């Protein structure tokens, strides 16, 4: 398998696991509910495992920018759709700026393993 496909696939899984883990962090109610806390821990551990796999090909700074940036966007979407929370204009502008930064890193930077 192409190392780039494997690495970016692992990164995608890491991001999804991180978002699921964060969703269960909310459901754990500050670690007061055992099942959501345990599920959160499993998904966070999985997220770091897959992030480590991605780092075999993708440089740390690039991988973390993508992981963090997309994690923020997806977590914001989950907070709106699942938890019925809202974002004000400043929050949406800030998230858009993060997405812009991830795009700049991936499209214009030579630092990535792509």
């Amino acid at each position: 398998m192409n190392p780039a496909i494997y690495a970016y696939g692992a990164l995608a899984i890491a991001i999804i696991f991180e978002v699921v883990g964060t969703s269960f962090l909310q459901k754990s109610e500050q670690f007061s509910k055992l099942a959501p806390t345990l599920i959160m821990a499993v998904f966070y551990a999985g997220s770091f495992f897959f992030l480590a796999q991605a780092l075999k090909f993708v440089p740390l700074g690039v991988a973390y920018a993508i992981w963090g940036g997309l994690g923020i966007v997806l977590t914001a979407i989950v907070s709106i759709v699942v938890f019925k929370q809202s974002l004000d204009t400043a929050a949406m502008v800030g998230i858009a700026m993060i997405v812009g930064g991830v795009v700049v890193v991936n499209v214009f930077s030579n630092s990535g393993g792509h």
Side-chain angles (χ1 to χ4, degrees), residues 32-102:
S32 66
K33 293 188 174 183
L34 182 60
T37 299
L38 294 175
I39 294 168
M40 175 214 62
V42 167
F43 275 94
Y44 275 165
S47 178
F48 281 106
F49 171 81
F50 285 107
L51 178 60
Q53 300 310 302
L55 293 178
K56 292 177 181 177
F57 182 80
V58 183
L60 175 63
V62 173
Y64 198 77
I66 296 168
W67 184 64
L70 291 179
I72 289 167
V73 170
L74 293 173
T75 301
I77 292 168
V78 168
S79 74
I80 293 166
V81 174
V82 175
F83 299 112
K84 307 300 182 208
Q85 298 172 347
S86 61
L87 298 173
D88 61 12
T89 302
M92 289 187 282
V93 169
I95 290 170
M97 292 172 76
I98 292 167
V99 170
V102 171

Side-chain angles (χ1 to χ4, degrees), residues 18-34:
E18 188 268 334
V19 171
V20 172
T22 301
S23 298
F24 278 96
L25 176 61
Q26 175 74 23
K27 293 296 241 179
S28 77
E29 296 182 13
Q30 296 76 43
F31 306 119
S32 66
K33 293 188 174 183
L34 182 60

